[in-house]
Structures are given as C-alpha cells and as structure tokens.
Amino acid sequence: MPGIDKLPIEETLEDSPQTRSLLGVFEEDATAISNYMNQLYQAMHRIYDAQNELSAATHLTSKLLKEYEKQRFPLGGDDEVMSSTLQQFSKVIDELSSCHAVLSTQLADAMMFPISQFKERDLKEILTLKEVFQIASNDHDAAINRYSRLSKKRENDKVKYEVTEDVYTSRKKQHQTMMHYFCALNTLQYKKKIALLEPLLGYMQAQISFFKMGSENLNGQLEEFLANIGTSVQNVRREMDGDVETMQQTIEDLEVASDPLYVPDPDPTKFPVNRNLTRKAGYLNARNKTGLVSSTWDRQFYFTQGGNLMSQARGDVAGGLAMDIDNCSVMAVDCEDRRYCFQITSFDGKKSSILQAESKKDHEEWICTINNISKQIYLSENPEETAARVNQSALEAVTPSPSFQQRHESLRPAGQSRPPTARTSSSGSLGSESTNLASLSLDSLVAPDTPIQFDIISPVCEDQPGQAKAFGQGGRRTNPFGESGGSTKSETEDSILHQLFIVRFLGSMEVKADDHPDVVYETMRQILAARAIHNIFRMTESHLLVTCDCLKLIDPQTQVTRLTFPLPCVVLYATHQENKRLFGFVLRTSGGRSESSLSSVCYIFESNNEGEKICDSVGLAKQIALHAELDRRASEKQKEIERVKEKQQKELSKQKQIEKDLEEQSRLIAASSRPNQAGSEGQLVLSSSQSEESDLGEEGKKRESEA
C-alpha cells in the first residue's frame, strides 16, 4: 500500500495554525469517509435484509465501488491500487447479482459485522474525540486569557497559583486530548481501507463457500485475486498496528518531556534564554485600540519570515504581514498593568505595535530575535553563528555603567568639590568589523577606562546642585518656539534659528579624540553593542532644540530643559554611515578627569529618520554663530578706529588753541615793551616765553606721536 499522510503528533503542544489547518483537512476527510461508509453500509444492509432486493443491492454496491475513484477525498484520493482493486470487485459483484437466504448468516458475520464495527465504534470515536478536543481547546483558551489578565502591580499569590494551576491542567488536558485525537485520525486512514476491504472479502468468501462445488463464475484466478487482497489487508493491519504502537510510544514520551512546558512561565534555569535567534514563532497577545482610552487584546500566532513579522489566526491557511521589522526598534514597555509587554516601532516611526509574551523567556527571546533581524543578521550564511559572534564580541568590547550621574559630576565647575566616582574599564575592538577604523586604534578614539551612560538625570535633581550651572540654564520651562510670556528674553529666545527635533537618548561616553568622524562611529558601535548585550531597551525621549547659541534637550511633557550644550563646545557631529536615524556629537568641556585639562564627551541619539537633518541644522547654527561673531568683531574694530580718530581731533584742536594763545601773548608782550627796555628784561621775558612755547610745542608733538 502507498504511504499515508499523518498528523504530526509532535506538534500538538505548539498547536500552530498550520497544524490546525492540517487537522481541518483530516476532519474533512473523516466526514467524507463517514458519508461514504454510511452509503456503503446501507447498500450492504439491503443485501442482508431483503433477499428479493439482493440483486438491486448488489448492483448498487457495484455502482458505488465504481464511483470510488470519482470521490474527492482530501487524503488518498489518488490511490490507484485501491481504485483498481475496487473496480475489480465491482465486476465480480455485478456478476453475483442474486443470492440465497442461506447466505444471510454468513453475510451477517463476514460482511455486516466489520463495517458495522467501523461505523459504530471508529467513526463515533472520532466524533466523540472531536467534541472533547473542542471543549479542552476552549477551556485552555479561557485559562490563558485569565492568566494574561493577571495584574502586574497587584500580584496575589493565591490567585496567581490558582490561575497557573488552571493553565497547567487545561493545557495538559488539551495536549493529551489532541494527541489521542490525532492518533485516532491517523488510524482512521488504515481502518478506512480495512472497513472497505474486509466486508467485501467476507462477502466473497461467503459466496465462494456457497457456490464452491459447482459455481462456474468462481474460478482459480478469482481465488488468487482474493488471496492477494487478503494478504494486502493483513499487511495494512500489521502496518497500522506498528504505527499505532509507535504513536502510543511517542505520546508517552511527549507527555513526560512536555510536563514542564505546561507551566506558562517555566523556570529560566531549566530553559535558558537564547539570544542568538533570527527566527521565532509562537502565540502573542496583540493590543488593539478601540477608542481613546479603551483597547482589546487578541491572541494570535506570530512568526518571523525574513525581515517581516507575520501573524496568523486560527483557521487561516497562511499568515499575513504584521510589520516590516528591518531597521526597526524594539523595547520593553509597561502597558495596561500587563506583564512581559514589548513595543515594536518601524524604521520610519510611523507604525508601532505593542505585544505581550506568555513568559519572561519568550519576552526576552522575542526582543533579542527582533533586534537581530533589525540588524539584518538573517541575511548572512549562518545567522545564529553571526549573531552569537557579534554578541560575544560586543560583550568583550564594552562593560556599560547604567548611571548618567558620573558623567555630569565630571562636568561641574572646578571650584566645586565632588566625590570620586568609580569607573569601569571597557577596552577592546571588533577587529575587522569596521573598515573605517583600519588606520586608527581603539585607544586613540575612546578612553580605555570610560563608562557608558544610558540615561539622563534631570538638572533639577536635588543630588546635583551644580548640574544646572555646568551647561548654563537648567530646570527652566522653555518655549521651543522662542516666545516668552515675561519681560526678559534669553539669548536663545533672541536667536534667529529655532529648529525642534524628536530624539531618543541612547548613551554617552568620554572619548580621547574629537577631530575625526570615526570617533562618533566607534561610540555608536560600542553603545549599541552594550545595549544589546545588557538588554537595555528603554530610551529617554526628548525634544532637541537647535539654536545659534546652544543645543537644548527639553522634556516633551513638562517643557523643562534637561540639558544645555553650548554651541561653541560642540566640535564634531556626524550621522551613522548606514542607519541615518542615528547621529551623535562630541562636546568639549573643561574639567573631566583632570581639573586643568579639557575633556570630550560623545553623545549618541536616535531620531525619526532625521539624523542628517539634525546635523545640517547644527552646521547651519554654527555658520550663523560664526558670521555673527565676525560681524561683532568687525563692529568693535570700527568703533575703536572711530574713538582713535576722535581722540586725534581733540589733540589737534587743543594744539591749535595753544598756538593761538602763544601768538596772542607774543603780541601783547611786544606792544607793552619799551624801547629802552629792549635789553635784559625784554630778552629775559622773551627767552622765558620762548622756552614756555618750546615746552608746549614739544608736549603737543609728543601727544600727536602717541596718537
């Protein structure tokens, strides 16, 4: 006999939509078998009940056997051996169109009993198991729904234990019922053939025994044919018994092995998290908003296919696209007091979806898998090996520090006292992973003992009194569009450039160089690798305000300025070479590790596909600030020249006035002097006046030369 399609018992615990679809095909086949066998049973019962209608019943039986090949069975419809065998039987039965009453006993034992057993026992068993499986499946769905609604904040151990026990019991019941149901459906394919062949064999044997001594129709060739059919039936039975024994053993093994998996949240020590997956499938609860504040959660089967996240409901033949997860971002979120929730945001930021996993293990594996797919690791030849190598290299390259406080403690003024902060060493490199760093060593870009900061502490915190003064104004509500309700205006409000962007802070770290874009690229690599290794998925969202004076990080809810970066201190800025959503800038500040030296800190952000726009805006702001500074210096120089000219004019006017006074004095002296006094007195007066005049002249020349 040709091979028979089977339901995979090993996949009953997963209960995927594909398995349910295949189950539907087998159920449809069972319905078709039931309908056909009912007709065949009625036909054979007519042979048994009415001798006068025996010929008509035999003819109908022959007709039904001929129509077997026209039946559209979902499984086994193209069995040519079975079709040809039934065709041969139909010819023989057509010749034996009459029967005698003495055959009724033999027909009851050899023909009616097997088909009655198949109809009353096997087919009813399938229907009963179908109903039990449906009830178990509904109970399991209800238990999972109650478990998913467990409160995260108001956790009740008693309620949690009852719900968990309910999930365990219902899942075990569904799994066991489903395995037995699958076994019965698989066995039905064998029993169908037996139920078709055994009654016919019994019928023919009864006819042979009755007409053996003188029947001309029953010859040796027919007996040989029947013997072959009997051998085939025995072979099918032995094959069925062997397959049933194998399936029973599989069921027992799966029951033992699957017992820990019935618990919705298994022990992570027994089932560790695999962070190197690039493919994953399983059931998730999807959040669907039905109003402004209301939402519903639908349980669907999700699976990854390349760079796409697919979803499939029960009964669907194939899945549909849920979201493109290439270059997406994923993070753990708190949503509606539910556990194990995470949010996926598309690369352009226009689409997001919140999903809930069943356990902590699934929660972390889904986040890691989507992160690996977002990095397009699945396109490599060995995706899991590549993901493991990247994660291991990143783990060796970085050791993050989860506090942002140490960085801003180092940015306080030199006069303030500050406690020493412990720094974590993080050195290493990914080697050939970046061709841009071929000519630069890692130590020449990033300080070997610097930590990585992943969060922003607001400058208005009590434990950071000097924070607001490190970068200027802090803790003040800022209007991002430069409008102020008060009478005073800050320099930022007077700026001619105001551009606002939505950004998410990824991290910052101190760097040793600030004159090459590779510094920003290497910082991006280390921060992203550290986030992936340490499962840091939360990001602080802020508004980045770019002006001609500074860069400001503003809280989008309270409009309070979190950090202010003076624009002259921003010495380098760049976007990621491939992912244009990532950008960073290097801030040069005083202090740092040594009070007398300058330190450089690289800040990395993620935007909504606006990294190049932000860098262009910063470049424009620096150009405007440069031109404004040049204009200011030119104006001051012009004012200085005007002041010098005015001073020279005053000196000349004063010199002229002195000369005029001397001339007037000389005339008065000449008019008042006597002729007889032109001697010594006149000479004395003249000499004294000349000496005064010469002294005044020398003093004027000296002032003029100084001017």
Side-chain angles (χ1 to χ4, degrees):
M1 292 292 178
I4 297 177
D5 293 332
K6 301 174 186 177
L7 284 168
I9 299 179
E10 297 81 4
E11 298 180 5
T12 53
L13 181 58
E14 183 180 3
D15 192 17
S16 65
Q18 289 82 358
T19 307
R20 285 296 182 104
S21 299
L22 187 60
L23 174 62
V25 175
F26 273 76
E27 290 176 343
E28 184 180 355
D29 182 78
T31 302
I33 292 174
S34 177
N35 295 334
Y36 179 78
M37 293 305 297
N38 285 331
Q39 296 182 44
L40 188 59
Y41 174 82
Q42 292 175 3
M44 292 185 176
H45 199 272
R46 288 182 64 183
I47 298 175
Y48 175 73
D49 284 343
Q51 295 181 10
N52 57 347
E53 294 181 358
L54 185 57
S55 179
T58 307
H59 177 72
L60 179 60
T61 302
S62 175
K63 182 180 177 180
L64 289 175
L65 294 177
K66 290 179 181 179
E67 292 179 351
Y68 175 81
E69 61 181 1
K70 299 179 181 179
Q71 299 296 319
R72 295 293 181 263
F73 295 114
L75 298 175
D78 297 332
D79 192 347
E80 296 181 358
V81 176
M82 178 62 70
S83 298
S84 61
T85 303
L86 295 181
Q87 289 294 328
Q88 185 67 24
F89 271 118
S90 68
K91 293 177 182 179
V92 177
I93 294 174
D94 195 28
E95 294 176 359
L96 301 175
S97 59
S98 61
C99 187
H100 301 283
V102 293
L103 296 177
S104 59
T105 303
Q106 295 180 347
L107 293 176
D109 296 336
M111 183 181 69
M112 296 304 299
F113 179 77
I115 195 170
S116 298
Q117 285 290 98
F118 177 77
K119 179 176 178 292
E120 298 297 328
R121 184 184 63 187
D122 300 325
L123 292 181
K124 284 188 177 180
E125 179 186 5
I126 294 296
L127 294 177
T128 303
L129 286 174
K130 182 179 180 180
E131 294 176 358
V132 173
F133 167 69
Q134 190 63 41
I135 294 173
S137 179
N138 294 337
D139 293 343
H140 176 255
D141 292 342
I144 285 294
N145 192 19
R146 290 193 297 272
Y147 175 78
S148 300
R149 292 198 304 268
L150 279 178
S151 176
K152 180 180 178 183
K153 298 179 180 178
R154 300 185 301 275
E155 203 167 88
N156 190 324
D157 293 337
K158 182 179 179 182
V159 174
K160 181 179 179 181
Y161 174 78
E162 293 176 354
V163 173
T164 303
E165 189 68 19
D166 191 14
V167 173
Y168 172 86
T169 304
S170 61
R171 181 171 291 177
K172 184 176 182 179
K173 180 181 178 182
Q174 180 192 6
H175 186 207
Q176 295 175 347
T177 305
M178 196 173 186
M179 287 191 294
H180 290 288
Y181 185 35
F182 278 24
C183 179
L185 288 174
N186 290 336
T187 309
L188 183 64
Q189 301 303 314
Y190 298 99
K191 292 182 178 180
K192 175 186 71 173
K193 296 185 178 183
I194 296 174
L196 283 170
L197 298 178
E198 257 191 347
L200 301 176
L201 181 62
Y203 174 79
M204 295 306 302
Q205 288 175 345
Q207 291 290 346
I208 290 174
S209 64
F210 182 76
F211 294 110
K212 188 172 182 181
M213 296 305 297
S215 177
E216 297 179 355
N217 295 330
L218 303 178
N219 51 29
Q221 185 177 2
L222 182 59
E223 291 181 358
E224 183 180 358
F225 170 72
L226 295 177
N228 293 334
I229 296 301
T231 303
S232 298
V233 171
Q234 295 299 325
N235 292 335
V236 172
R237 185 180 297 278
R238 284 194 296 270
E239 186 179 354
M240 181 191 70
D241 292 340
D243 205 356
V244 168
E245 184 178 357
T246 303
M247 289 188 292
Q248 292 293 343
Q249 184 63 37
T250 303
I251 290 175
E252 294 177 3
D253 295 341
L254 288 176
E255 285 181 350
V256 174
S258 302
D259 190 74
L261 299 178
Y262 297 141
V263 180
D265 198 355
D267 188 0
T269 59
K270 298 181 179 178
F271 301 93
V273 178
N274 188 353
R275 307 184 188 279
N276 305 323
L277 296 175
T278 56
R279 297 177 60 187
K280 187 168 177 60
Y283 280 98
L284 295 172
N285 292 330
R287 180 175 178 264
N288 299 318
K289 296 195 67 176
T290 58
L292 294 176
V293 295
S294 60
S295 61
T296 60
W297 294 81
D298 297 332
R299 190 168 184 261
Q300 290 188 353
F301 188 83
Y302 284 84
F303 60 95
T304 60
Q305 190 175 58
N308 299 323
L309 179 64
M310 313 292 288
S311 64
Q312 185 175 2
R314 283 185 180 176
D316 293 347
V317 179
L321 177 64
M323 181 180 293
D324 181 5
I325 54 178
D326 267 341
N327 296 322
C328 72
S329 60
V330 59
M331 67 180 72
V333 295
D334 295 329
C335 185
E336 297 184 4
D337 196 21
R338 287 192 174 225
R339 302 182 300 171
Y340 311 136
C341 293
F342 60 95
Q343 179 175 350
I344 308 173
T345 305
S346 60
F347 72 97
D348 54 2
K350 295 182 180 179
K351 185 177 181 180
S352 63
S353 179
I354 296 179
L355 304 173
Q356 181 190 18
E358 185 176 294
S359 63
K360 183 178 180 181
K361 175 179 179 293
D362 282 346
H363 178 255
E364 296 186 8
E365 284 188 350
W366 271 108
I367 291 177
C368 294
T369 302
I370 295 174
N371 264 327
N372 293 335
I373 295 176
S374 177
K375 300 173 185 176
Q376 299 183 349
I377 296 178
Y378 65 93
L379 297 176
S380 59
E381 294 183 359
N382 297 316
E384 292 194 6
E385 293 182 5
T386 303
R389 185 168 60 254
V390 170
N391 291 336
Q392 182 63 27
S393 300
L395 180 62
E396 295 174 356
V398 291
T399 302
S401 172
S403 174
F404 197 77
Q405 182 175 0
Q406 296 176 357
R407 169 64 55 239
H408 288 281
E409 286 289 337
S410 65
L411 296 177
R412 292 184 176 181
Q416 295 184 359
S417 62
R418 57 185 181 188
T421 58
R423 299 185 179 271
T424 305
S425 175
S426 65
S427 62
S429 175
L430 287 182
S432 59
E433 186 173 318
S434 176
T435 58
N436 294 329
L437 300 178
S439 60
L440 295 174
S441 65
L442 181 61
D443 291 343
S444 65
L445 297 178
V446 180
D449 58 346
T450 183
I452 299 177
Q453 281 72 26
F454 295 107
D455 58 335
I456 297 178
I457 294 180
S458 176
V460 297
C461 292
E462 295 180 359
D463 58 344
Q464 302 229 2
Q467 175 74 42
K469 299 179 181 180
F471 288 130
Q473 294 290 333
R476 175 181 175 270
R477 292 187 180 271
T478 303
N479 192 325
F481 299 101
E483 299 175 0
S484 176
S487 59
T488 60
K489 292 186 177 182
S490 65
E491 295 179 0
T492 302
E493 293 171 348
D494 294 334
S495 176
I496 62 175
L497 178 67
H498 287 82
Q499 290 190 347
L500 193 68
F501 302 94
I502 298 176
V503 297
R504 289 171 290 277
F505 181 72
L506 295 177
S508 66
M509 59 189 302
E510 187 173 343
V511 295
K512 297 181 67 176
D514 55 12
D515 57 351
H516 199 282
D518 286 339
V519 177
V520 180
Y521 304 152
E522 175 63 19
T523 306
M524 289 178 180
R525 184 193 67 78
Q526 291 206 26
I527 290 178
L528 292 177
R531 279 181 168 270
I533 290 300
H534 296 272
N535 292 330
I536 302 174
F537 303 111
R538 297 180 183 274
M539 295 182 289
T540 304
E541 185 172 289
S542 303
H543 288 170
L544 178 64
L545 179 63
V546 181
T547 68
C548 298
D549 304 309
C550 61
L551 307 180
K552 285 188 176 182
L553 283 181
I554 303 173
D555 191 315
Q557 300 295 331
T558 62
Q559 295 300 313
V560 172
T561 300
R562 290 172 170 166
L563 289 177
T564 301
F565 306 100
L567 194 62
C569 297
V570 179
V571 296
L572 180 64
Y573 47 90
T575 59
H576 196 276
Q577 294 170 311
E578 297 177 358
N579 188 356
K580 299 303 181 182
R581 294 180 299 157
L582 301 179
F583 75 97
F585 58 84
V586 178
L587 189 74
R588 184 185 297 167
T589 59
S590 60
R593 303 190 180 191
S594 62
E595 299 294 338
S596 61
S597 64
L598 295 177
S599 64
S600 299
V601 183
C602 185
Y603 294 83
I604 304 300
F605 297 87
E606 180 189 41
S607 65
N608 296 333
N609 206 20
E610 295 179 341
E612 291 183 343
K613 293 182 180 180
I614 296 175
C615 289
D616 293 341
S617 178
V618 174
L620 178 61
K622 291 185 75 67
Q623 289 182 3
I624 294 174
L626 177 61
H627 289 302
E629 180 66 19
L630 294 177
D631 292 341
R632 184 186 64 80
R633 293 182 181 181
S635 177
E636 291 180 354
K637 186 175 182 181
Q638 185 65 29
K639 290 181 181 179
E640 183 66 23
I641 293 174
E642 290 178 357
R643 285 197 300 269
V644 171
K645 288 183 178 180
E646 184 179 357
K647 186 175 180 180
Q648 289 178 352
Q649 290 293 336
K650 289 182 179 180
E651 292 293 338
L652 291 175
S653 299
K654 186 175 181 180
Q655 183 67 24
K656 290 180 180 180
Q657 184 65 34
I658 292 173
E659 292 178 355
K660 186 176 180 181
D661 292 343
L662 289 175
E663 291 178 357
E664 184 66 25
Q665 185 177 5
S666 299
R667 287 197 299 269
L668 291 175
I669 291 173
S672 61
S673 58
R674 299 176 181 177
N676 55 358
Q677 294 178 352
S680 58
E681 293 181 2
Q683 189 176 2
L684 180 60
V685 172
L686 182 60
S687 61
S688 62
S689 63
Q690 288 178 351
S691 62
E692 291 177 0
E693 181 179 354
S694 62
D695 292 339
L696 292 175
E698 290 177 358
E699 185 179 356
K701 291 179 181 179
K702 184 177 180 182
R703 292 179 180 177
E704 183 176 356
S705 62
E706 290 178 355

